[in-house]
Amino acid sequence: MRNSMTRTALSFAVASAGLLGFAGVADAAPSACTTSNQGAGGSAYCAGGDGLFRVTITCRRPNGAYYFREGVWRAPGLQSHSTAWCDGDNSRVTYIGVQKRNL
């Protein structure tokens, strides 16, 4: 009888933990994201979801050296763009990405 009660209590605890673990799944990361290359900079926009997003760019200097820049974190929605620029030494964007995080 005692083993049965222990197993039942353990099963309940595991099931409860599983349900609580899925509670955070409802928080959707930013979605419907697009990027734009402006030559010496880049921007990102996310139309939906929750959380935050920002643009990340890789820049290349005229001498061939690469470096990175990041825009500010923004919440998705209308008029919410994250923008980053390369240094003013004729550097050009070689890659644009979007980082996302849930709150």
Side-chain angles (χ1 to χ4, degrees):
M1 179 72 167
R2 177 165 256 206
N3 270 348
S4 176
M5 289 175 61
T6 303
R7 273 186 254 140
T8 301
L10 183 59
S11 296
F12 179 77
V14 170
S16 297
L19 290 175
L20 292 175
F22 287 111
V25 174
D27 295 332
S31 60
C33 300
T34 59
T35 59
S36 175
N37 184 336
Q38 287 117 21
S43 65
Y45 168 76
C46 295
D50 296 319
L52 299 171
F53 73 95
R54 72 177 171 186
V55 69
T56 61
I57 60 174
T58 302
C59 302
R60 185 173 186 215
R61 297 189 193 287
N63 68 4
Y66 290 91
Y67 60 98
F68 308 96
R69 295 288 181 260
E70 300 166 334
V72 297
W73 290 102
R74 299 277 191 198
L78 191 62
Q79 303 301 319
S80 184
H81 290 80
S82 177
T83 304
W85 295 97
C86 299
D87 295 342
D89 60 357
N90 291 321
S91 293
R92 307 306 284 171
V93 172
T94 60
Y95 172 80
I96 301 176
V98 180
Q99 282 185 318
K100 303 173 187 180
R101 71 179 185 196
N102 290 338
L103 294 179

